[in-house]
Amino acid sequence: MPSEKACGPEPSGFGMRAKALFCGMRIIPCRAVTLKEKNMRKLSDKTGTEVSENVTRDEFPVSVRKADAGAEFGIHELDGVSLEVPVFDKSCQYLAKPASDYVFNTGLLRNLLSFLGKSSGDALYLYGPSGCGKTSMVIQAAAVLKWPTVSLTVNGRFELADLIGHPTIVKNELVFVHGALARAMKYGYVLILNEIDLADAAELSGLNDVLEGRNLVVIQNNGEVIKPHPSFRLVVTANTCGRGSRGTYHGTQLLNAAFLDRFRFIGCDYMSSEEELKLLKKVVPDADEGLLSGMVKVASEIRKSHLDPVPNHVYMSVPMSTRALVRWAKLTAEYSYESDPADAALVHAFTGRLSEEERAYVTRLKFDIMTGDTVNP
């Protein structure tokens, strides 16, 4: 007797495990339904109580408002900078909460807001050293503006189908579940793709139509056409600007020039010493300001040794990122039981990953700065 199988084309990239689910299953008939239809399905028990399946909830914006950046972010340098932002229901699950201890780089924030307010058909490419706050800046800016964000990190096994969606079986019925890209385009979210330069350049070329502002055609869902919402924004982050790296960032790829041509580029760097000190004072408010200032100076010297090495000076293979600096400050506060909390915390926050020569240099650097001695190579 001939076997019966699900109607419609088998979705690309569905995977061997999913294919095995179809073998031996009798699903007659089946159809792919949209996530919106799935959300509308309600079941009722005998008491009349509604029971809905645990599915992702997506929401359209209810209106658009004009935001004054200076007032919204509490930054006087942004007074007079305004932009239109979508208004979503406060229960939207993609709305992030602003972090009370976050400190923005005003210059970078101004450029980001320019893109969020009017993308002009571009996507945004943020590149810079690891741990300098590329992703967190976008998430926190969107949180202040109450603009939903979806953040994902890609890798060498990334497939475009992962972003578009995939069919799955729910109660013997084939149902299509939209991926992050499809949802962000349809509902007007900010989609952040991290480490974009780790993905295969050929796979990323599948995003070219979307980057051009064209509709997304979901072949796997009976050819569904998703028109990009006016509030949809696509932001990617990377340690390189798409040219690959032979140094610190191993595994990064040389990206296709046609793909890169569709982006607006913003180079990011570590905060200034003043901004980092302000950040540390928010993160560990009870810590001695002199101690925190010394930590910032140590981080700055390490970065100089990484970016601009001089003869007879120890070359640092990795800089101390803002992320590592914050970790150092937090651990120092937690290690109050140690004879030298800052020294013990430094090992776990940063130097534990270094070579013996680099570790000795950082330890001496920390000692010199904290005691007020001259910094020696």
Side-chain angles (χ1 to χ4, degrees), residues 28-337:
I28 311 171
C30 78
R31 66 184 186 93
V33 298
T34 65
L35 186 59
K36 182 178 180 181
E37 291 175 319
K38 184 181 177 184
N39 286 338
M40 292 176 63
R41 292 180 178 176
K42 299 288 185 178
L43 302 177
S44 297
D45 62 17
K46 294 181 180 180
T47 64
T49 304
E50 285 191 337
V51 180
S52 60
E53 295 176 9
N54 182 21
V55 295
T56 302
R57 264 189 311 106
D58 293 293
E59 298 181 16
F60 286 102
V62 295
S63 61
V64 176
R65 68 181 178 91
K66 179 164 287 189
D68 179 86
E72 298 270 344
F73 290 89
I75 300 176
H76 295 306
E77 291 87 343
L78 297 178
D79 287 344
V81 177
S82 62
L83 65 158
E84 290 188 345
V85 298
V87 178
F88 286 80
D89 187 278
K90 63 181 180 180
S91 64
C92 179
Q93 63 181 346
Y94 295 116
L95 285 174
K97 292 183 178 179
S100 59
D101 59 359
Y102 191 82
V103 175
F104 286 99
N105 179 309
T106 304
L108 291 177
L109 177 60
R110 183 187 295 272
N111 292 329
L112 173 62
L113 294 179
S114 175
F115 167 76
L116 292 176
K118 189 175 182 180
S119 66
S120 300
D122 296 328
L124 182 63
Y125 194 119
L126 299 176
Y127 67 95
S130 174
C132 70
K134 300 181 291 295
T135 302
S136 61
M137 177 178 65
V138 181
I139 292 176
Q140 288 302 311
V144 171
L145 297 171
K146 297 179 175 58
W147 197 330
T149 55
V150 181
S151 179
L152 300 172
T153 299
V154 303
N155 53 49
R157 296 183 179 181
F158 162 79
E159 294 183 2
L160 184 60
D162 298 333
L163 291 179
I164 296 175
H166 60 87
T168 189
I169 297 172
V170 178
K171 296 183 178 179
N172 289 335
E173 186 173 20
L174 187 63
V175 175
F176 187 85
V177 178
H178 290 102
L181 173 62
R183 296 203 305 272
M185 286 186 66
K186 188 172 184 178
Y187 298 97
Y189 304 155
V190 177
L191 175 62
I192 308 170
L193 300 180
N194 298 302
E195 312 294 353
I196 197 69
D197 54 355
L198 293 181
D200 180 69
E203 194 69 32
L204 289 175
S205 65
L207 287 171
N208 285 356
D209 283 346
V210 171
L211 296 176
E212 284 287 334
R214 300 192 183 102
N215 295 339
L216 175 66
V217 180
V218 186
I219 299 175
Q220 301 96 321
N221 194 27
N222 294 336
E224 177 191 8
V225 176
I226 297 178
K227 182 179 180 180
H229 192 282
S231 298
F232 167 61
R233 299 290 186 270
L234 176 60
V235 180
V236 303
T237 71
N239 297 128
T240 75
C241 56
R243 297 181 179 180
S245 173
R246 296 180 180 178
T248 305
Y249 304 110
H250 298 287
T252 54
Q253 306 292 323
L254 178 65
L255 300 183
N256 186 281
F259 174 77
L260 295 174
D261 194 47
R262 291 163 164 84
F263 286 90
R264 186 185 306 186
F265 284 78
I266 297 179
C268 303
D269 206 343
Y270 298 116
M271 293 178 169
S272 66
S273 296
E274 294 77 14
E275 289 171 328
E276 285 193 323
L277 179 57
K278 182 180 178 181
L279 172 62
L280 294 189
K281 289 167 69 175
K282 283 192 172 185
V283 172
V284 281
D286 296 329
D288 177 74
E289 184 172 342
L291 174 64
L292 299 182
S293 179
M295 290 180 170
V296 171
K297 290 178 182 178
V298 170
S300 179
E301 289 296 325
I302 292 173
R303 292 166 193 165
K304 289 179 183 178
S305 298
H306 172 72
L307 298 173
D308 189 24
V310 296
N312 301 320
H313 199 284
V314 172
Y315 167 70
M316 292 296 299
S317 60
V318 292
M320 176 178 276
S321 67
T322 302
R323 181 190 298 122
L325 176 60
V326 169
R327 184 186 302 122
W328 183 20
K330 287 182 176 179
L331 290 179
T332 299
E334 294 177 13
Y335 291 178
S336 58
Y337 52 84

Side-chain angles (χ1 to χ4, degrees), residues 333-370:
E334 294 177 13
Y335 291 178
S336 58
Y337 52 84
E338 295 282 356
S339 58
D340 188 339
D343 201 46
L346 182 59
V347 176
H348 294 166
F350 182 67
T351 60
R353 63 188 287 198
L354 304 178
S355 67
E356 185 175 343
E357 181 185 27
E358 291 174 321
R359 191 180 307 135
Y361 166 69
V362 174
T363 301
R364 177 60 188 272
L365 179 67
K366 177 256 179 187
F367 176 81
D368 289 345
I369 289 177
M370 297 297 188

